[in-house]
Amino acid sequence: DQQVKQNSPSLSVQEGRISILNCDYTNSMFDYFLWYKKYPAEGPTFLISISSIKDKNEDGRFTVFLNKSAKHLSLHIVPSQPGDSAVYFCAASASTGFQKLVFGTGTRLLVSP
Amino acid sequence: SQTIHQWPATLVQPVGSPLSLECTVEGTSNPNLYWYRQAAGRGLQLLFYSVGIGQISSEVPQNLSASRPQDRQFILSSKKLLLSDSGFYLCAWSTGVGGNTIYFGEGSWLTVV
């Protein structure tokens, strides 16, 4: 059972435009959400997170939006840069019990010059 | 600052041979430690986690085991590797406080032949 889903395996965007990566979850106990960026043959790097008490969190070019009623979150990258080309993983955890992160399958973003 | 290292970075092992991947964390005490695996074309799957020395929880039945002989050391092992054990293995840590952001090591590529 895939509790965190990233339905788009890939996304292509031109440099300077907005990249929007989407993520859906099914477990209503999830209350903390994160995005990670991963380059080939490297470990994922933490990008940005959001708690369920918020619906938006911004850090520079990266903004994460959370829609709890739809169980949906998205990552916006504005403006997109070629160096943003990587695989992006969405992850979620529940604050009850041990806080394990559940990851989506990832979306490969390609930003072309 | 905290750092995490895992080794070896790559290895090619024959079917039936043993495995030992090691991971150490510096700059923090009593971290939560994790082993994840990324199989080809798939997301990040949690294999084991540990909240303290000698305390190991397994997430999925498999051919692997984990041990935590010291506070900041986490080892992934197998007595006899299977072809299906091939993948990218990631060690990670978290403080276990608050939102549980986890931080990953560089990863280890395992190819079982």
Side-chain angles (χ1 to χ4, degrees), chain A residues 69-91:
Chain A
S69 61
K71 293 191 176 67
H72 177 84
L73 64 155
S74 61
L75 175 68
H76 293 209
I77 307 174
V78 182
S80 302
Q81 300 173 355
D84 296 329
S85 297
V87 176
Y88 289 78
F89 288 98
C90 168

Side-chain angles (χ1 to χ4, degrees), chain A residues 32 36 38 43 98-101, chain B residues 38 49 98-102 105:
Chain A
Y32 187 63
Y36 286 82
K38 185 182 181 301
F98 182 72
Q99 298 156 333
K100 295 177 287 186
L101 282 185
Chain B
Q38 184 185 18
Y49 66 91
N100 197 39
T101 299
I102 71 171

Side-chain angles (χ1 to χ4, degrees), chain A residues 33-35 46-50 57-59 62-64 75:
Chain A
F33 306 89
L34 308 90
W35 285 94
F46 169 70
L47 264 182
I48 191 168
S49 63
I50 188 167
N57 188 26
E58 195 171 350
D59 183 3
F62 301 92
T63 303
V64 55
L75 175 68

Side-chain angles (χ1 to χ4, degrees), chain A residues 5 20 24 29-31 38 40-43 48 50 54 64 66 70 72 74 76 79 82-83 86-87 90 93 95 110:
Chain A
K5 301 177 183 180
I20 300 176
D24 297 294
M29 298 302 292
F30 288 150
D31 56 8
K38 185 182 181 301
E42 293 184 11
I48 191 168
I50 188 167
K54 293 185 173 182
V64 55
L66 175 62
H72 177 84
S74 61
H76 293 209
V87 176
C90 168
S93 71
S95 57
L110 176 63

